[in-house]
Amino acid sequence: MVTEPILPRIRPAIAALAPYRQGRQAGPDAFKLSSNENPFAPLPSVLEALQDTTPINRYPDATAGRLRARLGARYGVDPDQVHVASGSVAILHQLILATASVGDEVVYAWRSFEAYPSLPLVAGAVGVQVPLTADARHDLDAMADAVTERTRAIIVCTPNNPTGPIVTSAEFAAFADRIPADVLIILDEAYAEFVTAPDAVDGLAERVYERHPNVVVLRTFSKAYGLAGLRVGYAIGHEKVLDAARTTGIPLSVTAAAESAGIASLDAEAELLERVAVLIKRRTRLVTGLRAQGWDVPDAQGNFVWLPTGDGTDAAAAVFADEDLIVRPFAGDGIRISIGEEASVDRVLEVAATLC
Ligand code: PMP
């Protein structure tokens, strides 16, 4: 008889969580449209920077000082107002651990980025989900109404992953004015470079952290800059708030290669933003085509589109997968499809036409 080994006791809140599942890996002929990655190959200059970096038998600079200085100059802030970590998801964890503990509340919109629900739970805190509006946007009034004396942090995701719409500048300003000054607001702008809506909030251009020192803006090199595999993201905000994130973060987790590639990407920003413009064109083509087929696609401002497939989600995702299109289904709700290679747009349109 096989007996189960006795395993260490796991905190019930952790045992109850589904472990993070990555978007399905694609076969050689498939298009991987499940993780909002950038389909372009890395620039030669970025690859060169990877060669020419601290040797891997040495630890990296724990403060990512060169990249912080570069970002500070780019955004006109002191390097101490910049925090770099191994992906912006790491910064989300650090900030929630720094602000929320047992019994505290963290407010976020739902549906939104699938990593959000685990953030408060890992910290021992409680997540408060505020439903999106009917047009898949943040309901910022309802989010502000959800704040209690236990609220320690609020996450605002713009454009919202996975549905696509932005929060406007005016909406964010009115919202931030309503939130108590001692409650952290994380403005997650992972897809900011893909935004074309002229009224969208841009936390860095607007320097929202100056009027509201409780706001931290998150950005990443994973999407527009195509460095998802190297893991590097950053936050800009008040030095003391970022110090708290630096404290809860795992030391030395930003590698020298990631830091160098980040700097090389900023050097090549114009070239990388040309690629972003290509992806935006593909997005427009995909959204227009899907809407022409009758799909009710919300405003798509990131590098992905949302198909509201409802109860038919898993079946629809299986049809895409059979056609070598790996998309991201959210059971009972909808499918997120990343903007990938040019040919993938045609393939998605062909398959979507059979489903509507
Ligand atoms: N925020 C949002 C809204 C995201 O969609 C993602 C990635 N899917 C992240 C943060 C994290 O990105 P990274 O850790 O690669 O910087």
Side-chain angles (χ1 to χ4, degrees):
M1 194 178 89
V2 183
T3 51
E4 287 292 324
I6 295 173
L7 295 174
R9 286 197 215 179
I10 306 293
R11 285 166 49 199
I14 303 300
L17 282 178
Y20 184 80
R21 299 261 181 255
Q22 203 175 18
R24 246 170 82 171
Q25 296 297 318
D29 300 324
F31 288 112
K32 182 165 184 270
L33 309 174
S34 53
S35 298
N36 294 348
E37 292 155 340
N38 192 316
F40 289 100
L43 291 177
S45 62
V46 172
L47 292 177
E48 241 167 68
L50 291 180
Q51 306 304 316
D52 185 23
T53 191
T54 311
I56 60 172
N57 57 316
R58 304 289 178 196
Y59 282 113
D61 166 12
T63 70
R66 289 183 307 136
L67 181 52
R68 284 194 304 121
R70 182 62 191 272
L71 287 166
R74 164 89 167 69
Y75 292 111
V77 297
D78 190 272
D80 287 342
Q81 292 175 273
V82 183
H83 173 47
V84 171
S86 52
S88 55
V89 72
I91 306 178
L92 281 162
H93 269 282
Q94 295 164 2
L95 287 170
I96 297 300
L97 282 175
T99 53
S101 178
V102 177
D104 295 334
E105 293 170 0
V106 176
V107 174
Y108 55 92
W110 198 249
R111 176 173 295 281
S112 192
F113 179 30
E114 63 266 36
Y116 293 161
S118 70
L119 300 169
L121 293 174
V122 168
V126 176
V128 177
Q129 300 187 337
V130 177
L132 297 175
T133 62
D135 49 357
R137 309 183 73 240
H138 275 49
D139 187 342
L140 290 176
D141 279 333
M143 290 176 73
D145 289 343
V147 171
T148 72
E149 72 282 0
R150 306 297 334 222
T151 308
R152 293 291 174 273
I154 308 176
I155 310 172
V156 174
C157 184
T158 175
N160 187 49
N161 172 15
T163 58
I166 48 100
V167 166
T168 69
S169 213
E171 285 167 342
F172 186 75
F175 170 76
D177 278 341
R178 279 192 65 190
I179 303 304
D182 62 355
V183 172
L184 173 68
I185 303 174
I186 302 173
L187 186 57
D188 186 344
E189 297 188 339
Y191 302 95
E193 296 84 357
F194 297 98
V195 171
T196 50
D199 55 348
V201 65
D202 179 329
L204 298 187
E206 294 173 43
R207 304 176 78 87
V208 290
Y209 46 83
E210 280 179 353
R211 182 173 156 80
H212 299 285
N214 59 328
V215 177
V216 169
V217 182
L218 297 193
R219 294 283 180 97
T220 182
F221 285 100
S222 297
K223 311 293 180 183
Y225 296 88
L227 301 184
L230 278 172
R231 314 301 306 122
V232 55
Y234 59 97
I236 295 191
H238 194 282
E239 173 185 342
K240 292 224 170 81
V241 182
L242 297 183
D243 279 346
R246 292 184 257 267
T247 301
T248 54
I250 295 169
L252 294 160
S253 43
V254 179
T255 64
E259 185 183 13
S260 297
I263 293 166
S265 300
L266 292 170
D267 288 342
E269 198 169 13
E271 208 173 338
L272 288 166
L273 292 181
E274 278 170 27
R275 293 170 158 200
V276 167
V278 171
L279 294 170
I280 291 170
K281 275 202 187 126
R282 288 180 195 166
R283 177 181 77 195
T284 305
R285 192 157 79 80
L286 184 55
V287 171
T288 310
L290 290 168
R291 287 189 180 149
Q293 292 174 4
W295 290 98
D296 186 14
V297 178
D299 189 24
Q301 291 286 317
N303 64 343
F304 51 88
V305 301
W306 175 250
L307 275 192
T309 40
D311 291 339
T313 294
D314 286 343
V319 173
F320 279 111
D322 286 346
E323 297 295 328
D324 273 346
L325 296 168
I326 311 303
V327 297
R328 178 70 72 101
F330 297 93
D333 203 353
I335 290 178
R336 188 191 69 199
I337 305 176
S338 307
I339 307 300
E341 295 76 359
E342 185 72 33
S344 74
V345 175
D346 302 303
R347 300 277 297 113
V348 168
L349 285 170
E350 276 162 33
V351 176
T354 69
L355 292 167
C356 57

